[in-house]
Amino acid sequence: MPLTSLDHLPGAVRAYLDARARDDRPAAAECFTPSAVVVDDGSTYRGHEAIRRWLSRSSTEYTYTTTLMTAVRHDRTHCNVTQRLEGDFPGGVADLDFAFTLDGAGITELVIGPL
């Protein structure tokens, strides 16, 4: 059952979402493993340096707010978070799914896409 709390999610996912909400890009980047992959908006970012650049670009390109819609933990290595973004980007509102894959060290993959 989807929940609208983050308490049941792995620590790395909670830390990433918290860091993004505070616009703390270095803290968000540290939630990923060194060989992690992020897929967002048709592009793939591999490794810490590419993920840092993605975080910097995605944090400054538009102004927006996020609202947690659902948070589902499938097992110890997979979870999905759905957020509604509202801001000054084309269309103004978007519901996005954040699909996380983790290992014991952090986030190994994050795939972001529309619902």
Side-chain angles (χ1 to χ4, degrees):
M1 174 178 174
L3 299 174
T4 55
S5 166
L6 301 177
D7 295 342
H8 63 292
L9 297 180
V13 172
R14 290 193 318 267
Y16 167 79
L17 294 170
D18 177 63
R20 289 304 305 256
R22 294 182 289 108
D23 195 28
D24 186 343
R25 291 172 235 156
E30 289 305 312
C31 297
F32 291 90
T33 62
S35 59
V37 174
V38 172
V39 179
D40 181 30
D41 204 24
S43 297
T44 301
Y45 307 89
R46 297 180 190 281
H48 267 162
E49 196 53 44
I51 291 171
R52 282 187 191 97
R53 286 192 305 271
W54 164 74
L55 286 165
S56 181
R57 180 193 56 79
S58 66
S59 293
T60 59
E61 192 170 12
Y62 299 107
T63 303
Y64 59 89
T65 60
T66 60
T67 303
L68 175 65
M69 295 174 63
T70 63
V72 179
R73 184 173 186 165
H74 303 287
D75 55 39
R76 67 179 197 81
T77 59
H78 298 92
C79 62
N80 288 70
V81 173
T82 304
Q83 291 186 326
R84 172 164 287 158
L85 280 65
E86 296 184 55
D88 61 1
F89 52 86
V93 177
D95 294 338
L96 297 179
D97 178 64
F98 295 73
F100 292 91
T101 303
L102 302 100
D103 67 11
I107 300 168
T108 59
E109 183 180 62
L110 171 58
V111 178
I112 303 170
L115 288 182

